[in-house]
Amino acid sequence: MQERISAIVEHMAKSQHELARTLEAKRSVVAHMAMLVEQIPDHGPSFGEIEALMEHSLDVTKGITSYLNSLADLEDAIADNLAPIMKAMKEQPGEE
């Protein structure tokens, strides 16, 4: 039983690692977008139409929100996957 649990945990670790890599790529995009926004002057920017500025600001906000939601989903997935493993390990106190 312990070997089976170990195999499941190993498989979950690999899939979680791939999710983390995806999130890292997404984080890089969000960080770059945030740096671009930071370069916008506080006073007197001349961007032309306010609608375009609002649209781009909304895109940045959506990107950051999406990244944070992905982090929350990863945390939930880790918790959901580890809960049954931890329960099974508690039921077998003699085996390590």
Side-chain angles (χ1 to χ4, degrees):
M1 181 67 163
Q2 188 67 28
E3 289 177 19
R4 188 171 183 201
I5 290 173
S6 295
I8 291 170
V9 169
E10 184 178 334
H11 175 71
M12 287 186 335
K14 287 179 183 177
S15 65
Q16 309 275 325
H17 178 71
E18 290 301 317
L19 283 172
R21 285 182 44 186
T22 302
L23 287 174
E24 178 64 24
K26 194 180 254 190
R27 184 197 64 81
S28 296
V29 170
V30 169
H32 181 69
M33 289 170 55
M35 284 190 292
L36 291 175
V37 169
E38 192 174 274
Q39 298 301 316
I40 298 172
D42 291 335
H43 302 288
S46 58
F47 295 112
E49 297 180 22
I50 190 72
E51 289 81 19
L53 178 61
M54 294 295 289
E55 183 179 330
H56 294 298
S57 297
L58 183 60
D59 289 342
V60 170
T61 303
K62 285 180 181 179
I64 293 170
T65 302
S66 173
Y67 172 69
L68 293 175
N69 283 333
S70 297
L71 284 177
D73 291 343
L74 175 61
E75 183 180 350
D76 288 343
I78 291 170
D80 290 345
N81 290 327
L82 288 179
I85 300 299
M86 296 303 292
K87 182 179 177 182
M89 291 178 75
K90 285 181 182 179
E91 292 174 356
Q92 300 174 358
E95 297 179 24
E96 290 186 18

Coordinates of all heavy atoms in Angstrom, one line a residue:
M1 N 0.8 -1.2 0.0 CA 0.0 0.0 0.0 C 0.9 1.3 0.0 O 0.6 2.2 -0.7 CB -0.9 0.0 1.2 CG -1.8 1.2 1.3 SD -3.0 1.1 -0.1 CE -4.2 2.2 0.5
Q2 N 2.0 1.2 0.8 CA 2.9 2.4 0.9 C 3.5 2.7 -0.5 O 3.6 3.8 -0.9 CB 4.0 2.1 1.9 CG 4.8 3.3 2.2 CD 4.0 4.4 2.9 OE1 3.1 4.1 3.6 NE2 4.4 5.6 2.7
E3 N 3.8 1.6 -1.3 CA 4.4 1.9 -2.6 C 3.4 2.6 -3.5 O 3.7 3.4 -4.3 CB 4.8 0.5 -3.2 CG 6.0 0.0 -2.6 CD 6.4 -1.4 -3.2 OE1 5.9 -1.7 -4.3 OE2 7.1 -2.1 -2.5
R4 N 2.1 2.2 -3.4 CA 1.1 2.8 -4.2 C 0.9 4.2 -3.8 O 0.7 5.1 -4.7 CB -0.2 2.0 -4.0 CG -1.3 2.4 -4.9 CD -2.5 1.5 -4.9 NE -3.5 1.9 -5.8 CZ -4.8 1.5 -5.8 NH1 -5.2 0.8 -4.8 NH2 -5.6 1.9 -6.7
I5 N 0.9 4.5 -2.5 CA 0.8 5.9 -2.1 C 1.9 6.7 -2.6 O 1.8 7.8 -3.1 CB 0.6 6.0 -0.6 CG1 -0.7 5.4 -0.1 CG2 0.8 7.4 -0.1 CD1 -0.9 5.3 1.4
S6 N 3.1 6.1 -2.5 CA 4.3 6.8 -3.0 C 4.2 7.1 -4.5 O 4.6 8.2 -4.9 CB 5.6 6.0 -2.7 OG 5.8 5.9 -1.3
A7 N 3.7 6.2 -5.3 CA 3.6 6.4 -6.7 C 2.6 7.5 -7.0 O 2.8 8.3 -7.9 CB 3.2 5.1 -7.4
I8 N 1.5 7.5 -6.3 CA 0.4 8.5 -6.4 C 1.0 9.9 -6.1 O 0.8 10.9 -6.9 CB -0.8 8.2 -5.6 CG1 -1.5 7.0 -6.1 CG2 -1.7 9.4 -5.5 CD1 -2.6 6.5 -5.2
V9 N 1.7 10.0 -5.0 CA 2.3 11.3 -4.6 C 3.3 11.7 -5.6 O 3.4 12.9 -6.0 CB 3.0 11.2 -3.2 CG1 3.8 12.4 -2.9 CG2 1.9 11.0 -2.1
E10 N 4.1 10.8 -6.2 CA 5.1 11.1 -7.2 C 4.4 11.7 -8.4 O 4.8 12.7 -9.0 CB 6.0 9.9 -7.5 CG 7.1 10.2 -8.5 CD 7.9 9.0 -8.8 OE1 8.0 8.1 -8.0 OE2 8.5 9.0 -9.9
H11 N 3.4 11.0 -8.9 CA 2.6 11.5 -10.0 C 2.0 12.8 -9.8 O 2.1 13.7 -10.7 CB 1.5 10.5 -10.4 CG 0.7 10.9 -11.5 ND1 1.1 11.0 -12.8 CD2 -0.6 11.3 -11.5 CE1 0.1 11.4 -13.6 NE2 -0.9 11.6 -12.8
M12 N 1.4 13.1 -8.6 CA 0.9 14.4 -8.3 C 1.9 15.4 -8.2 O 1.7 16.5 -8.7 CB 0.1 14.3 -6.9 CG -1.2 13.5 -7.0 SD -2.1 13.6 -5.5 CE -1.0 13.8 -4.2
A13 N 3.1 15.1 -7.7 CA 4.2 16.1 -7.7 C 4.6 16.5 -9.1 O 4.8 17.7 -9.3 CB 5.4 15.5 -6.9
K14 N 4.6 15.5 -10.0 CA 5.0 15.9 -11.4 C 3.9 16.8 -12.0 O 4.3 17.8 -12.7 CB 5.2 14.6 -12.2 CG 6.4 13.9 -11.9 CD 6.5 12.6 -12.8 CE 7.8 11.8 -12.4 NZ 7.9 10.6 -13.1
S15 N 2.7 16.5 -11.8 CA 1.6 17.3 -12.4 C 1.6 18.7 -11.7 O 1.4 19.7 -12.4 CB 0.3 16.6 -12.3 OG -0.1 16.5 -11.0
Q16 N 1.8 18.7 -10.4 CA 1.9 20.0 -9.7 C 3.1 20.9 -10.2 O 3.0 22.1 -10.4 CB 2.0 19.8 -8.2 CG 0.9 18.9 -7.7 CD -0.4 19.5 -7.3 OE1 -0.4 20.6 -6.9 NE2 -1.4 18.8 -7.5
H17 N 4.2 20.2 -10.5 CA 5.4 20.9 -11.0 C 5.0 21.5 -12.4 O 5.4 22.6 -12.7 CB 6.5 19.9 -11.2 CG 7.8 20.5 -11.7 ND1 8.5 21.4 -11.0 CD2 8.4 20.4 -12.9 CE1 9.5 21.8 -11.8 NE2 9.5 21.2 -12.9
E18 N 4.3 20.8 -13.2 CA 3.9 21.3 -14.5 C 3.0 22.5 -14.4 O 3.1 23.5 -15.1 CB 3.3 20.3 -15.4 CG 4.3 19.2 -15.9 CD 5.4 19.8 -16.7 OE1 5.2 20.6 -17.6 OE2 6.6 19.3 -16.4
L19 N 2.1 22.4 -13.4 CA 1.2 23.6 -13.2 C 2.0 24.8 -12.7 O 1.8 25.9 -13.1 CB 0.2 23.2 -12.1 CG -1.0 22.4 -12.5 CD1 -1.8 21.9 -11.3 CD2 -1.9 23.1 -13.5
A20 N 3.0 24.5 -11.8 CA 3.8 25.6 -11.3 C 4.6 26.2 -12.5 O 4.8 27.5 -12.5 CB 4.8 25.1 -10.2
R21 N 5.1 25.4 -13.4 CA 5.8 26.0 -14.5 C 4.9 26.9 -15.4 O 5.3 28.0 -15.8 CB 6.4 24.9 -15.4 CG 7.6 24.2 -14.8 CD 8.2 23.1 -15.7 NE 8.2 23.6 -17.1 CZ 8.6 22.9 -18.1 NH1 8.9 21.7 -17.9 NH2 8.6 23.4 -19.3
T22 N 3.7 26.5 -15.6 CA 2.7 27.3 -16.3 C 2.5 28.6 -15.6 O 2.4 29.7 -16.2 CB 1.4 26.5 -16.5 OG1 1.7 25.3 -17.2 CG2 0.4 27.3 -17.3
L23 N 2.3 28.5 -14.3 CA 2.1 29.7 -13.5 C 3.3 30.6 -13.5 O 3.2 31.9 -13.5 CB 1.7 29.3 -12.0 CG 0.3 28.8 -11.8 CD1 0.2 28.3 -10.4 CD2 -0.7 29.8 -12.2
E24 N 4.5 30.1 -13.5 CA 5.7 30.9 -13.6 C 5.7 31.7 -14.9 O 6.1 32.8 -14.9 CB 6.9 30.0 -13.5 CG 8.3 30.7 -13.6 CD 8.5 31.7 -12.5 OE1 7.9 31.6 -11.4 OE2 9.3 32.7 -12.7
A25 N 5.4 31.0 -16.0 CA 5.3 31.7 -17.3 C 4.3 32.8 -17.2 O 4.5 34.0 -17.7 CB 5.0 30.7 -18.4
K26 N 3.1 32.5 -16.7 CA 2.1 33.5 -16.5 C 2.5 34.7 -15.6 O 2.3 35.8 -15.9 CB 0.8 32.9 -16.0 CG -0.4 33.7 -16.1 CD -1.6 33.0 -15.5 CE -2.5 32.5 -16.6 NZ -3.8 31.9 -16.1
R27 N 3.3 34.3 -14.6 CA 3.8 35.4 -13.6 C 4.7 36.3 -14.4 O 4.7 37.5 -14.2 CB 4.5 34.7 -12.5 CG 5.0 35.8 -11.4 CD 6.1 35.2 -10.5 NE 7.3 34.9 -11.2 CZ 8.2 35.7 -11.6 NH1 8.1 37.0 -11.3 NH2 9.3 35.3 -12.2
S28 N 5.5 35.8 -15.2 CA 6.5 36.6 -16.0 C 5.7 37.6 -16.9 O 6.1 38.8 -16.9 CB 7.4 35.8 -16.9 OG 8.2 35.0 -16.1
V29 N 4.7 37.2 -17.5 CA 3.9 38.1 -18.3 C 3.2 39.2 -17.5 O 3.2 40.3 -17.8 CB 2.8 37.3 -19.1 CG1 1.8 38.2 -19.8 CG2 3.4 36.3 -20.1
V30 N 2.6 38.8 -16.4 CA 2.0 39.7 -15.5 C 3.0 40.7 -14.9 O 2.7 41.9 -14.9 CB 1.2 39.0 -14.4 CG1 0.8 40.0 -13.3 CG2 0.0 38.2 -14.9
A31 N 4.1 40.3 -14.5 CA 5.2 41.2 -14.0 C 5.6 42.2 -15.1 O 5.8 43.3 -14.8 CB 6.4 40.4 -13.5
H32 N 5.8 41.7 -16.3 CA 6.2 42.6 -17.4 C 5.1 43.6 -17.7 O 5.4 44.8 -17.9 CB 6.4 41.7 -18.7 CG 6.9 42.6 -19.8 ND1 8.1 43.2 -19.9 CD2 6.2 42.9 -21.0 CE1 8.2 43.9 -21.0 NE2 7.1 43.7 -21.7
M33 N 3.8 43.2 -17.7 CA 2.7 44.1 -17.9 C 2.7 45.2 -16.8 O 2.5 46.3 -17.0 CB 1.4 43.4 -17.9 CG 1.2 42.5 -19.2 SD -0.2 41.4 -19.1 CE -1.6 42.5 -18.8
A34 N 2.9 44.7 -15.5 CA 3.0 45.7 -14.4 C 4.1 46.7 -14.6 O 3.9 47.9 -14.2 CB 3.1 44.9 -13.1
M35 N 5.3 46.2 -15.0 CA 6.4 47.1 -15.2 C 6.0 48.2 -16.3 O 6.4 49.3 -16.2 CB 7.6 46.4 -15.6 CG 8.3 45.7 -14.4 SD 9.9 45.0 -14.8 CE 9.5 43.7 -15.9
L36 N 5.3 47.7 -17.4 CA 4.9 48.7 -18.4 C 4.0 49.7 -17.8 O 4.1 50.9 -18.1 CB 4.2 47.9 -19.6 CG 5.2 47.1 -20.4 CD1 4.3 46.3 -21.4 CD2 6.2 47.9 -21.1
V37 N 3.0 49.3 -17.0 CA 2.1 50.2 -16.4 C 2.8 51.2 -15.5 O 2.5 52.4 -15.4 CB 1.0 49.5 -15.6 CG1 0.2 50.4 -14.8 CG2 0.1 48.7 -16.6
E38 N 3.8 50.7 -14.8 CA 4.6 51.6 -13.9 C 5.3 52.7 -14.7 O 5.6 53.7 -14.1 CB 5.6 50.7 -13.2 CG 6.3 51.4 -12.0 CD 7.2 50.4 -11.3 OE1 6.7 49.7 -10.4 OE2 8.4 50.3 -11.6
Q39 N 5.6 52.5 -15.9 CA 6.3 53.5 -16.7 C 5.4 54.6 -17.2 O 5.9 55.6 -17.7 CB 7.0 52.8 -17.9 CG 8.0 51.8 -17.6 CD 9.2 52.4 -16.7 OE1 9.7 53.4 -17.0 NE2 9.5 51.6 -15.7
I40 N 4.1 54.5 -17.0 CA 3.2 55.5 -17.4 C 3.3 56.7 -16.5 O 3.3 56.5 -15.3 CB 1.7 55.0 -17.4 CG1 1.6 53.8 -18.4 CG2 0.7 56.1 -17.7 CD1 0.2 53.1 -18.3
P41 N 3.5 57.9 -17.0 CA 3.6 59.1 -16.1 C 2.4 59.3 -15.4 O 1.3 59.1 -15.8 CB 4.0 60.2 -17.1 CG 3.6 59.7 -18.4 CD 3.6 58.2 -18.4
D42 N 2.5 59.8 -14.1 CA 1.4 60.1 -13.3 C 0.6 61.4 -13.7 O -0.6 61.4 -13.6 CB 1.8 60.3 -11.8 CG 2.3 59.1 -11.2 OD1 1.9 58.0 -11.6 OD2 3.1 59.1 -10.3
H43 N 1.3 62.3 -14.3 CA 0.7 63.6 -14.6 C 0.8 63.9 -16.1 O 1.9 63.7 -16.7 CB 1.3 64.7 -13.8 CG 1.1 64.6 -12.4 ND1 -0.1 64.7 -11.7 CD2 2.1 64.2 -11.4 CE1 0.1 64.4 -10.4 NE2 1.4 64.1 -10.2
G44 N -0.2 64.2 -16.8 CA -0.2 64.7 -18.1 C 0.2 63.6 -19.2 O 0.8 64.0 -20.2
P45 N -0.3 62.4 -19.0 CA 0.1 61.4 -20.1 C -0.8 61.8 -21.3 O -1.9 62.2 -21.3 CB -0.3 60.1 -19.5 CG -1.4 60.4 -18.5 CD -1.0 61.7 -18.0
S46 N -0.2 61.6 -22.5 CA -0.9 61.9 -23.7 C -1.0 60.5 -24.5 O -0.2 60.2 -25.3 CB -0.1 62.9 -24.6 OG 1.2 62.4 -24.8
F47 N -2.1 59.9 -24.2 CA -2.4 58.6 -24.8 C -3.4 58.6 -25.9 O -3.8 57.6 -26.5 CB -2.8 57.5 -23.8 CG -1.8 57.2 -22.8 CD1 -2.0 57.6 -21.5 CD2 -0.7 56.5 -23.1 CE1 -1.0 57.3 -20.5 CE2 0.3 56.2 -22.2 CZ 0.1 56.6 -20.9
G48 N -3.9 59.8 -26.2 CA -4.9 59.9 -27.2 C -6.3 59.7 -26.5 O -6.6 60.4 -25.6
E49 N -7.0 58.7 -26.9 CA -8.3 58.4 -26.4 C -8.3 57.7 -25.1 O -7.5 56.8 -24.8 CB -9.1 57.6 -27.4 CG -9.3 58.2 -28.8 CD -10.0 57.3 -29.7 OE1 -10.7 56.4 -29.2 OE2 -9.9 57.5 -30.9
I50 N -9.1 58.2 -24.2 CA -9.2 57.6 -22.9 C -9.7 56.1 -22.9 O -9.4 55.3 -22.1 CB -10.1 58.5 -21.9 CG1 -10.0 58.0 -20.5 CG2 -11.5 58.4 -22.3 CD1 -8.7 58.3 -19.8
E51 N -10.5 55.8 -24.0 CA -11.1 54.5 -24.1 C -10.0 53.5 -24.3 O -10.0 52.4 -23.7 CB -12.1 54.4 -25.3 CG -13.4 55.1 -25.0 CD -13.3 56.6 -25.3 OE1 -12.3 57.1 -26.0 OE2 -14.1 57.4 -24.8
A52 N -9.0 53.8 -25.1 CA -7.8 52.9 -25.3 C -7.1 52.6 -24.0 O -6.7 51.5 -23.6 CB -6.9 53.4 -26.4
L53 N -6.9 53.7 -23.2 CA -6.2 53.6 -22.0 C -7.0 52.7 -21.0 O -6.4 51.9 -20.3 CB -5.9 55.0 -21.4 CG -5.3 55.0 -20.0 CD1 -3.9 54.4 -20.0 CD2 -5.2 56.5 -19.5
M54 N -8.3 52.9 -20.9 CA -9.1 52.1 -20.1 C -9.1 50.7 -20.5 O -9.1 49.8 -19.6 CB -10.5 52.7 -20.1 CG -10.7 54.1 -19.5 SD -10.3 54.2 -17.8 CE -11.7 53.3 -17.1
E55 N -9.1 50.4 -21.8 CA -9.1 49.0 -22.3 C -7.8 48.3 -21.9 O -7.8 47.2 -21.4 CB -9.3 49.0 -23.8 CG -9.3 47.6 -24.3 CD -9.5 47.6 -25.9 OE1 -10.2 48.6 -26.4 OE2 -9.1 46.7 -26.5
H56 N -6.7 49.0 -22.0 CA -5.4 48.4 -21.7 C -5.3 48.2 -20.2 O -4.7 47.2 -19.7 CB -4.2 49.2 -22.2 CG -4.2 49.3 -23.7 ND1 -4.0 48.1 -24.5 CD2 -4.3 50.3 -24.6 CE1 -4.0 48.4 -25.8 NE2 -4.2 49.7 -25.9
S57 N -5.8 49.1 -19.4 CA -5.7 49.0 -18.0 C -6.6 47.8 -17.5 O -6.2 47.1 -16.6 CB -6.3 50.3 -17.3 OG -5.5 51.4 -17.6
L58 N -7.7 47.6 -18.2 CA -8.6 46.5 -17.9 C -7.9 45.2 -18.2 O -7.9 44.2 -17.5 CB -9.9 46.6 -18.6 CG -10.9 45.5 -18.3 CD1 -11.3 45.5 -16.9 CD2 -12.2 45.8 -19.2
D59 N -7.1 45.2 -19.3 CA -6.4 44.0 -19.7 C -5.3 43.6 -18.7 O -5.1 42.4 -18.4 CB -5.7 44.1 -21.1 CG -6.7 44.1 -22.2 OD1 -7.9 43.7 -22.0 OD2 -6.4 44.6 -23.3
V60 N -4.6 44.6 -18.2 CA -3.6 44.4 -17.2 C -4.3 43.8 -15.9 O -3.8 42.8 -15.3 CB -2.8 45.7 -16.8 CG1 -1.9 45.5 -15.6 CG2 -2.0 46.1 -18.0
T61 N -5.4 44.4 -15.5 CA -6.1 44.0 -14.3 C -6.6 42.5 -14.5 O -6.5 41.7 -13.6 CB -7.3 44.9 -14.0 OG1 -6.8 46.2 -13.9 CG2 -8.0 44.5 -12.8
K62 N -7.1 42.2 -15.7 CA -7.5 40.8 -15.9 C -6.4 39.8 -15.9 O -6.5 38.7 -15.4 CB -8.2 40.8 -17.3 CG -9.6 41.4 -17.4 CD -10.2 41.2 -18.8 CE -11.5 41.9 -18.9 NZ -12.1 41.8 -20.2
G63 N -5.2 40.2 -16.4 CA -4.1 39.4 -16.4 C -3.6 39.1 -15.0 O -3.3 37.9 -14.6
I64 N -3.6 40.1 -14.1 CA -3.2 39.9 -12.7 C -4.2 39.1 -12.0 O -3.8 38.1 -11.3 CB -3.0 41.3 -12.0 CG1 -1.8 42.0 -12.7 CG2 -2.8 41.1 -10.5 CD1 -1.6 43.4 -12.2
T65 N -5.5 39.3 -12.2 CA -6.5 38.5 -11.6 C -6.5 37.1 -12.0 O -6.6 36.2 -11.2 CB -7.9 39.1 -11.9 OG1 -7.9 40.5 -11.5 CG2 -9.0 38.4 -11.2
S66 N -6.2 36.9 -13.3 CA -6.1 35.5 -13.8 C -5.0 34.8 -13.1 O -5.1 33.6 -12.8 CB -6.0 35.5 -15.3 OG -5.7 34.2 -15.8
Y67 N -3.8 35.4 -13.0 CA -2.7 34.8 -12.4 C -3.0 34.5 -10.9 O -2.7 33.4 -10.5 CB -1.5 35.8 -12.5 CG -0.3 35.3 -11.7 CD1 0.4 34.2 -12.1 CD2 0.1 36.0 -10.6 CE1 1.5 33.8 -11.4 CE2 1.2 35.6 -9.8 CZ 1.9 34.5 -10.2 OH 3.0 34.0 -9.5
L68 N -3.6 35.4 -10.2 CA -3.9 35.1 -8.8 C -4.9 34.0 -8.6 O -4.8 33.2 -7.7 CB -4.4 36.4 -8.1 CG -3.3 37.5 -8.0 CD1 -3.9 38.8 -7.4 CD2 -2.1 37.0 -7.1
N69 N -5.9 33.9 -9.5 CA -6.9 32.9 -9.5 C -6.2 31.5 -9.8 O -6.5 30.5 -9.2 CB -8.0 33.1 -10.5 CG -9.0 34.1 -10.0 OD1 -9.2 34.3 -8.8 ND2 -9.6 34.8 -10.9
S70 N -5.2 31.5 -10.7 CA -4.5 30.3 -11.0 C -3.7 29.8 -9.8 O -3.6 28.6 -9.6 CB -3.6 30.5 -12.2 OG -4.3 30.8 -13.4
L71 N -3.1 30.7 -9.1 CA -2.4 30.4 -7.9 C -3.3 29.7 -6.9 O -3.0 28.7 -6.2 CB -1.7 31.6 -7.3 CG -0.4 32.1 -7.9 CD1 0.1 33.3 -7.2 CD2 0.7 31.0 -7.9
A72 N -4.5 30.3 -6.7 CA -5.5 29.8 -5.8 C -6.0 28.4 -6.2 O -6.1 27.5 -5.4 CB -6.7 30.7 -5.7
D73 N -6.1 28.2 -7.5 CA -6.5 26.9 -8.1 C -5.4 25.9 -7.8 O -5.7 24.7 -7.5 CB -6.8 27.0 -9.6 CG -8.1 27.8 -9.9 OD1 -8.9 28.0 -9.0 OD2 -8.2 28.2 -11.1
L74 N -4.2 26.3 -8.0 CA -3.1 25.3 -7.7 C -3.1 24.9 -6.2 O -2.9 23.8 -5.9 CB -1.7 26.0 -8.1 CG -0.5 25.2 -7.7 CD1 -0.5 23.8 -8.5 CD2 0.8 26.0 -8.1
E75 N -3.3 25.9 -5.4 CA -3.3 25.6 -3.9 C -4.5 24.7 -3.6 O -4.3 23.7 -2.8 CB -3.5 26.9 -3.1 CG -3.4 26.7 -1.6 CD -3.6 28.0 -0.9 OE1 -3.5 29.1 -1.5 OE2 -3.8 27.9 0.4
D76 N -5.6 24.9 -4.2 CA -6.8 24.0 -4.0 C -6.5 22.6 -4.5 O -6.8 21.6 -3.9 CB -8.0 24.5 -4.7 CG -8.6 25.8 -4.0 OD1 -8.2 26.0 -2.8 OD2 -9.4 26.5 -4.6
A77 N -5.8 22.5 -5.7 CA -5.5 21.2 -6.2 C -4.6 20.4 -5.4 O -4.7 19.2 -5.1 CB -4.9 21.4 -7.6
I78 N -3.6 21.1 -4.8 CA -2.6 20.5 -4.0 C -3.3 20.0 -2.7 O -3.1 18.8 -2.3 CB -1.5 21.4 -3.6 CG1 -0.6 21.7 -4.8 CG2 -0.6 20.9 -2.4 CD1 0.4 22.8 -4.6
A79 N -4.1 20.8 -2.1 CA -4.9 20.4 -0.9 C -5.8 19.2 -1.2 O -5.9 18.3 -0.4 CB -5.7 21.6 -0.3
D80 N -6.5 19.3 -2.3 CA -7.5 18.2 -2.7 C -6.7 16.9 -2.9 O -7.2 15.8 -2.6 CB -8.3 18.6 -3.9 CG -9.3 19.7 -3.6 OD1 -9.6 20.0 -2.4 OD2 -9.8 20.3 -4.6
N81 N -5.6 17.0 -3.5 CA -4.8 15.8 -3.8 C -4.1 15.2 -2.6 O -3.9 14.0 -2.5 CB -3.8 16.0 -5.0 CG -4.5 16.2 -6.3 OD1 -5.5 15.7 -6.6 ND2 -3.9 17.1 -7.1
L82 N -3.7 16.0 -1.7 CA -2.9 15.5 -0.6 C -3.8 15.0 0.6 O -3.4 14.2 1.4 CB -2.0 16.6 -0.1 CG -0.7 16.8 -1.0 CD1 0.1 17.9 -0.4 CD2 0.0 15.6 -1.2
A83 N -5.0 15.5 0.6 CA -5.9 15.1 1.7 C -6.2 13.6 1.8 O -6.0 13.0 2.9 CB -7.3 15.9 1.6
P84 N -6.5 12.9 0.7 CA -6.7 11.5 0.8 C -5.4 10.7 1.1 O -5.4 9.7 1.8 CB -7.2 11.1 -0.6 CG -7.6 12.3 -1.3 CD -6.9 13.4 -0.6
I85 N -4.3 11.3 0.6 CA -3.0 10.6 0.9 C -2.7 10.7 2.4 O -2.2 9.7 3.0 CB -1.9 11.3 0.1 CG1 -2.1 11.1 -1.4 CG2 -0.5 10.7 0.5 CD1 -2.2 9.7 -1.9
M86 N -2.9 11.9 3.0 CA -2.6 12.1 4.4 C -3.5 11.2 5.2 O -3.1 10.6 6.2 CB -2.8 13.6 4.8 CG -1.8 14.5 4.1 SD 0.0 14.0 4.4 CE 0.1 14.4 6.1
K87 N -4.8 11.1 4.8 CA -5.7 10.2 5.5 C -5.3 8.8 5.5 O -5.3 8.1 6.5 CB -7.1 10.4 4.9 CG -8.2 9.6 5.6 CD -9.5 9.8 5.0 CE -10.6 8.9 5.7 NZ -11.9 9.1 5.1
A88 N -4.9 8.3 4.3 CA -4.4 6.9 4.2 C -3.1 6.7 5.0 O -3.0 5.6 5.6 CB -4.2 6.6 2.7
M89 N -2.3 7.7 5.0 CA -1.0 7.5 5.8 C -1.3 7.5 7.3 O -0.6 6.8 8.1 CB 0.0 8.6 5.5 CG 0.5 8.5 4.1 SD 1.6 9.8 3.6 CE 3.1 9.3 4.5
K90 N -2.3 8.2 7.8 CA -2.7 8.2 9.2 C -3.3 6.9 9.6 O -3.2 6.4 10.7 CB -3.7 9.3 9.5 CG -3.0 10.7 9.6 CD -4.0 11.8 9.9 CE -3.4 13.1 10.0 NZ -4.3 14.2 10.3
E91 N -4.0 6.2 8.6 CA -4.6 4.9 8.9 C -3.6 3.8 9.0 O -3.9 2.8 9.5 CB -5.6 4.6 7.8 CG -6.8 5.5 7.9 CD -7.8 5.3 6.7 OE1 -7.5 4.5 5.8 OE2 -8.8 6.0 6.6
Q92 N -2.4 4.1 8.6 CA -1.3 3.0 8.6 C -0.1 3.6 9.5 O 0.9 3.8 9.0 CB -0.8 2.7 7.2 CG -1.9 2.2 6.3 CD -1.4 2.0 4.9 OE1 -0.2 2.4 4.6 NE2 -2.2 1.5 4.0
P93 N -0.3 3.7 10.8 CA 0.7 4.3 11.6 C 2.0 3.4 11.7 O 3.1 4.0 11.9 CB 0.1 4.4 13.0 CG -1.0 3.3 13.0 CD -1.4 3.2 11.6
G94 N 1.9 2.1 11.5 CA 3.1 1.3 11.7 C 4.0 1.3 10.5 O 5.2 1.0 10.6
E95 N 3.5 1.6 9.3 CA 4.4 1.6 8.1 C 4.9 3.0 7.8 O 4.3 4.0 7.9 CB 3.5 1.1 6.9 CG 3.0 -0.3 7.0 CD 2.1 -0.7 5.8 OE1 2.3 -0.1 4.8 OE2 1.3 -1.5 6.0
E96 N 6.2 3.0 7.4 CA 6.8 4.3 7.0 C 7.6 4.1 5.7 O 8.1 3.2 5.3 CB 7.8 4.8 8.1 CG 7.1 5.2 9.3 CD 8.0 5.8 10.3 OE1 9.1 6.2 10.0 OE2 7.6 5.9 11.5

